[in-house]
Amino acid sequence: MGTAFIVGVFYSLDTLYGERRDRSILFWKSLPVSDLTTVLSKLAIPLAILPLLSFVITIATQLIMLLLSMAMLLGSGVNIATLLIQVPFLHVSLVLLYHLVTVHGLWYAPIYGWLLLVSAWAPRAPFIGAFLPPFVIYVVEKIVFNTSYFLAMLKYRLAGPEASTSMAPGGTLINEMAALTPAQFFSTPGLWIGLAIATVFLAAAVRLRRHRGPI
């Protein structure tokens, strides 16, 4: 999941900037595809495609590990029924898919929207253009008001919403993911505020792409 998020960050930063840098934007603009469709299709990569690809790779890896464990138990004469009972493979898979679609998809939408906006605007060095403004806002807030609300907001967005029910000590990551029920997730104000902010970022990215040419 961490790798998919990092890939999504770098993809979002480079996708609109890259087409202006290598002048391929001239080719794409010659096609009968609107700027809105183009930006939304690029957003779909980190929002949907990468989480699903991460899910497939994870499940394949876990399945291989399960089969290897079964082979080792069979070789030692141990009954594999105990292993199959103790490993809730289907439950783990469904919880992982739910977490990837909700948190790594919908919850991270404003992050990817901001990165796409910077990618459409930056004349050069989009990485600096994406991360320098938040750092400046944090420093100015800290110096002027001696508070860290902006940093707390970023941490909240990156960490994801917390379940209302507390986890028992020693709980697993899968149980922690499952504790955030759909009702709790979709009733979280931060989700809808984030989606509204993402919409604003995407609208600005579409407008910028419409008027920006090759670098």
Side-chain angles (χ1 to χ4, degrees):
M1 292 186 293
T3 302
F5 175 68
I6 293 173
V7 172
V9 167
F10 280 95
Y11 169 84
S12 301
L13 274 178
D14 185 69
T15 180
L16 296 177
Y17 172 78
E19 67 178 12
R20 291 186 292 118
R21 182 188 56 216
D22 59 20
R23 307 182 70 85
S24 62
I25 189 174
L26 299 176
F27 169 75
W28 296 114
K29 281 182 174 287
S30 67
L31 300 177
V33 179
S34 66
D35 294 287
L36 176 60
T37 301
T38 301
V39 172
L40 289 180
S41 65
K42 293 180 181 298
L43 176 67
I45 300 297
L47 218 63
I49 302 302
L50 284 177
L52 292 178
L53 181 61
S54 174
F55 171 75
V56 171
I57 295 174
T58 302
I59 295 304
T61 304
Q62 292 178 344
L63 182 59
I64 292 173
M65 294 172 62
L66 179 61
L67 293 176
L68 290 176
S69 300
M70 292 171 60
M72 293 176 61
L73 291 178
L74 285 174
S76 60
V78 179
N79 187 1
I80 64 172
T82 304
L83 175 64
L84 295 177
I85 294 175
Q86 293 179 350
V87 179
F89 189 77
L90 179 60
H91 172 72
V92 170
S93 302
L94 292 177
V95 170
L96 178 63
L97 178 61
Y98 164 71
H99 178 80
L100 287 170
V101 170
T102 54
V103 177
H104 286 254
L106 297 176
W107 187 260
Y108 285 171
I111 298 176
Y112 295 128
W114 164 251
L115 297 176
L116 286 172
L117 172 59
V118 173
S119 183
W121 163 81
R124 61 180 61 87
F127 187 88
I128 297 177
F131 293 97
L132 184 59
F135 178 75
V136 171
I137 292 175
Y138 162 70
V139 171
V140 171
E141 180 193 358
K142 191 66 176 177
I143 294 175
V144 177
F145 302 104
N146 194 27
T147 58
S148 301
Y149 293 117
F150 184 75
L151 180 62
M153 182 270 294
L154 291 180
K155 291 181 178 179
Y156 174 63
R157 182 57 53 178
L158 289 172
E162 295 182 356
S164 59
T165 56
S166 58
M167 286 293 300
T172 64
L173 178 60
I174 290 296
N175 290 336
E176 184 177 348
M177 293 178 182
L180 181 64
T181 64
Q184 294 172 356
F185 178 76
F186 288 103
S187 62
T188 303
L191 169 65
W192 302 105
I193 294 174
L195 292 177
I197 295 174
T199 302
V200 174
F201 287 157
L202 291 175
V206 171
R207 185 175 182 84
L208 282 171
R209 187 183 187 273
R210 184 177 298 123
H211 300 288
R212 301 285 277 184
I215 299 176

